[in-house]
Amino acid sequence: MLCESCMERDNVSTGATMEFLLLGFSELLHLRVLLFLIFLIVHLVTLAGNMMIFMAVLMEPSRPPMLFFLCQLSAIELCYTLVVVPKALFSLVVVDGSTISFLGCAAQMHFFVALGGAECFLLAAMSYDRFVAICHPLRYAALMSEGLCLRLALTCGLGASAVALGLTVAVFRLPFCQSRRINHFFCDVPAVLHLACTQSYTPELPLLAACLLLLLLPFLLILASYVCIAVALLRITSPVGRGKAFSTCISHLAITSLHYGCATFIYIRPKSSYSPARDKVVSLVYTNITPLMYPLIYSLRNKEIRGILRKMLRRKKTAQVNWDAVRVVMCVCGKF
């Protein structure tokens, strides 16, 4: 307990200047150039894909609720990757790991948890949209009004940010009496909790509460929506009609499975089962692959998104043709 009391005083007095060392992938130095190139390419493609969907939906004058939520999802994924990936790329450049300040680590954790939680709430809102579209199709326009969509989006962001702030404050009030070497490529909650100088499970209670609010609560809402959707689909006698109705949910179900599969594996488990190597692999999928998969899934499965992207390409081609014509006229006029 002497260590705990000393480090607790040290945290309070030097918290503003304390630094952590992100080890990143220091055990894979011989592969760091290859990993850097792979992560950089995946990061750029992810940014381009989500930015394309975000701009395509934003430029569309009439946006159905599902497209509005998809635009918000793309914005979350853009911020999500920018919070984590640049620091991970930098850790691959620096051989001995990269340092991050106490406040920088806390800020990264807060934004990471807040954006991940907002995505969970947003997936619940999207499941409600599918529930209304399938179970109450005649009242869809009235129930899913623009005002309700805006309120749902605002609630997703503010609610997740509030929970993330409470969790971050609780984690960084803990005493750290082990080495401040974080065996991860960003300040993830389990990795930072592993450094806490406590023998009890008390520090894990805020994480458990955050998991209940950010993971379990939206999951139960999603489950309830799909139970109602399943009941409604069973009442449809036509197999073709049932298949068409269910096909509108496939993209959402795929994204929900990816998001919750990784999040559940990382966060819903005791501190004693923490494995740095395994967690880093799952976090790689969680922070790099899933944001890349989201625009691909929705571009392939959503007819409205495909239509908007085709219109964008047509407008681009038309603008290019017009510009080429203007250049030809200017050249001809210049000769005379």
Side-chain angles (χ1 to χ4, degrees):
M1 296 305 293
L2 179 60
C3 172
E4 180 175 346
S5 61
C6 292
M7 290 308 299
E8 189 170 11
R9 287 198 301 270
D10 185 59
N11 283 0
V12 174
S13 61
T14 62
T17 58
M18 191 196 321
E19 288 186 341
F20 294 97
L21 179 65
L22 293 171
L23 298 180
F25 303 93
S26 55
E27 71 275 14
L28 300 173
L29 291 179
H30 58 290
L31 294 175
R32 73 173 189 271
V33 175
L34 178 62
L35 290 174
F36 179 84
L37 293 175
I38 293 174
F39 292 168
L40 180 61
I41 292 172
V42 170
H43 180 55
L44 294 177
V45 173
T46 300
L47 291 178
N50 283 289
M51 180 63 74
M52 183 174 61
I53 290 182
F54 178 77
M55 294 302 298
V57 176
L58 204 63
M59 293 170 62
E60 184 68 14
S62 59
R63 288 188 293 272
M66 197 60 173
L67 288 185
F68 173 80
F69 292 137
L70 183 56
C71 182
Q72 187 182 1
L73 181 65
S74 295
I76 289 174
E77 293 304 323
L78 283 170
C79 299
Y80 201 71
T81 55
L82 290 173
V83 166
V84 174
V85 178
K87 194 68 176 177
L89 290 172
F90 181 71
S91 69
L92 288 170
V93 176
V94 181
V95 177
D96 297 327
S98 60
T99 59
I100 185 170
S101 67
F102 183 88
L103 295 178
C105 190
Q108 187 183 53
M109 180 183 293
H110 169 72
F111 285 117
F112 180 78
V113 176
L115 291 168
E119 186 171 337
C120 290
F121 286 134
L122 186 61
L123 290 173
M126 294 169 79
S127 71
Y128 176 72
D129 173 82
R130 292 300 85 202
F131 159 74
V132 175
I134 293 175
C135 299
H136 304 284
L138 299 179
R139 300 176 58 199
Y140 179 76
L143 292 175
M144 296 301 298
S145 62
E146 184 178 352
L148 176 62
C149 292
L150 289 173
R151 287 193 296 272
L152 287 174
L154 190 62
T155 302
C156 291
L158 293 179
S161 183
V163 176
L165 181 61
L167 175 60
T168 304
V169 170
V171 169
F172 282 90
R173 284 176 61 89
L174 296 171
F176 299 105
C177 65
Q178 295 184 22
S179 170
R180 293 177 190 144
R181 296 158 63 91
I182 300 177
N183 194 359
H184 215 300
F185 56 89
F186 72 101
C187 291
D188 199 10
V189 181
V192 177
L193 277 179
H194 190 66
L195 305 181
C197 181
T198 55
Q199 300 298 325
S200 65
Y201 288 97
T202 304
E204 297 182 49
L205 294 179
L207 177 59
L208 177 61
C211 288
L212 291 175
L213 292 173
L214 299 180
L215 289 176
L216 184 60
L217 178 60
F219 178 76
L220 292 177
L221 294 174
I222 293 171
L223 185 62
S225 296
Y226 275 103
V227 167
C228 296
I229 289 172
V231 172
L233 291 177
L234 290 175
R235 294 174 182 170
I236 300 176
T237 55
S238 170
V240 177
R242 188 184 304 143
K244 287 183 177 180
F246 180 72
S247 66
T248 63
C249 304
I250 292 178
S251 299
H252 180 262
L253 282 172
I255 288 179
T256 302
S257 301
L258 283 171
H259 184 75
Y260 271 93
C262 295
T264 302
F265 178 83
I266 294 175
Y267 299 109
I268 304 182
R269 59 178 180 175
K271 179 182 173 182
S272 57
S273 64
Y274 173 71
S275 172
R278 184 178 56 193
D279 275 33
K280 280 192 283 189
V281 172
V282 178
S283 295
L284 277 177
V285 177
Y286 192 56
T287 58
N288 289 271
I289 306 303
T290 54
L292 175 64
M293 295 297 295
Y294 292 172
L296 292 176
I297 290 172
Y298 266 102
S299 298
L300 294 174
R301 295 294 313 173
N302 194 294
K303 293 181 179 179
E304 292 174 319
I305 287 294
R306 292 202 302 269
I308 292 173
L309 292 177
R310 280 196 293 267
K311 284 196 292 184
M312 280 186 65
L313 293 175
R314 282 198 297 267
R315 282 198 295 262
K316 185 177 179 181
K317 289 180 180 179
T318 303
Q320 184 64 38
V321 169
N322 292 337
W323 173 242
D324 290 341
V326 170
R327 289 176 61 185
V328 169
V329 173
M330 290 174 65
C331 291
V332 172
C333 294
K335 288 182 180 180
F336 288 102

